Amino acid sequence: MRICSPENPLKLAVLISGNGSNLQAIIDTISDEFPAEICVVLSDQKNAYGLERAKRAEISIEVLSQDEFADKKAYDEALQACLDRYQPGLIVLAGFMRILTAPVISHFENRIINIHPSLLPKYPGLHTHEQALQAKDVLHGATVHVVTSELDKGPIIMQASVPISSSDDLHSLKHKVHALEHKLYPEVIRLYATGRLNFKENSVWLDDEKLSNTGLAFRMYY
């Protein structure tokens, strides 16, 4: 059984590729009442601004650039070995723009989560905001899910939604969804760190109750 406390916090590894705004939201949320700590921030981009955020918060950083490795297999082996050194209890993908391969996912099974800018199963992959606008959707949002070998198809943990107004464009909709993400991701981590949330049997469990693979632990509206 996972037991976390301020004396024995959940160790988080946060993987980023860019600005790191979700990383910052997580840093800002962790407190004595939130039994988690970021043990490492890892990026595949040496100039990612999120690394500066980590440095300011005195968090260890690692940079693994693809051009330092012969191929994707070598990169993923190095990624796995790097994360193993930190022994994270949960790996948080926060704008990490690489697709993890099956061996890495299997090695850290049920310990990797991702945030995706759509209401999955709608719009997996890229360009989600454009697709929502083109489809004239009335709602858009973000989803936190367990990472599996199927891209953006792991069990859904939590979603947050916002209405799309007639005046929204790509920039305004992206801004709305980013604001959701900054509330949604820390909440999921808090629930996991406090033991209420678990992932097993390809399902999400909340307060020891198994949810359906397509069900939601929570839905938040703004």
Side-chain angles (χ1 to χ4, degrees), residues 66-112:
Q66 179 63 65
D67 56 14
E68 298 173 0
F69 300 91
D71 52 32
K72 185 170 178 56
K73 181 175 183 294
Y75 183 96
D76 286 352
E77 288 173 350
L79 174 65
Q80 180 175 310
C82 181
L83 291 173
D84 274 341
R85 290 199 299 272
Y86 289 91
Q87 291 294 300
L90 190 66
I91 298 169
V92 179
L93 306 185
F96 190 60
M97 300 305 291
R98 294 183 63 91
I99 297 174
L100 300 182
T101 56
V104 175
I105 294 170
S106 177
H107 183 73
F108 297 109
E109 185 177 11
N110 291 326
R111 281 194 285 156
I112 310 175

Side-chain angles (χ1 to χ4, degrees), residues 36-192:
E37 66 176 13
I38 301 173
C39 58
V40 64
V41 171
L42 184 149
S43 178
D44 62 334
Q45 302 294 325
K46 63 183 179 181
N47 295 321
Y49 183 67
L51 295 173
E52 296 302 317
R53 299 179 187 272
K55 290 176 184 177
R56 287 201 301 268
E58 300 182 337
I59 298 168
S60 296
I61 64 170
E62 299 280 354
V63 178
L64 294 178
S65 299
Q66 179 63 65
D67 56 14
E68 298 173 0
F69 300 91
D71 52 32
K72 185 170 178 56
K73 181 175 183 294
Y75 183 96
D76 286 352
E77 288 173 350
L79 174 65
Q80 180 175 310
C82 181
L83 291 173
D84 274 341
R85 290 199 299 272
Y86 289 91
Q87 291 294 300
L90 190 66
I91 298 169
V92 179
L93 306 185
F96 190 60
M97 300 305 291
R98 294 183 63 91
I99 297 174
L100 300 182
T101 56
V104 175
I105 294 170
S106 177
H107 183 73
F108 297 109
E109 185 177 11
N110 291 326
R111 281 194 285 156
I112 310 175
I113 61 175
N114 181 50
I115 192 160
H116 182 76
S118 81
L119 296 173
L120 292 173
K122 272 190 170 184
Y123 314 134
L126 301 175
H127 310 301
T128 61
H129 310 305
E130 294 93 330
Q131 292 183 74
L133 289 169
Q134 290 169 6
K136 299 188 184 303
D137 290 345
V138 296
L139 284 177
H140 191 40
T143 303
V144 179
H145 65 93
V146 182
V147 173
T148 65
S149 57
E150 292 187 273
L151 181 65
D152 297 331
K153 291 187 178 179
I156 292 172
I157 304 166
M158 187 185 293
Q159 292 185 321
S161 305
V162 287
I164 300 176
S165 71
S166 59
S167 62
D168 274 324
D169 58 14
L170 181 59
H171 176 77
S172 65
L173 187 57
K174 185 181 294 187
H175 180 77
K176 283 182 177 181
V177 173
H178 278 167
L180 286 184
E181 292 178 1
H182 299 161
K183 297 178 181 180
L184 185 61
Y185 226 178
E187 177 64 9
V188 169
I189 296 168
R190 183 187 69 80
L191 289 170
Y192 190 83

Side-chain angles (χ1 to χ4, degrees), residues 110 146 155 198-205 210-213:
N110 291 326
V146 182
N198 283 285
F199 319 130
K200 56 186 179 180
E201 301 174 9
N202 198 36
S203 297
V204 175
W205 292 65
K210 182 178 179 180
L211 306 178
S212 69
N213 289 345

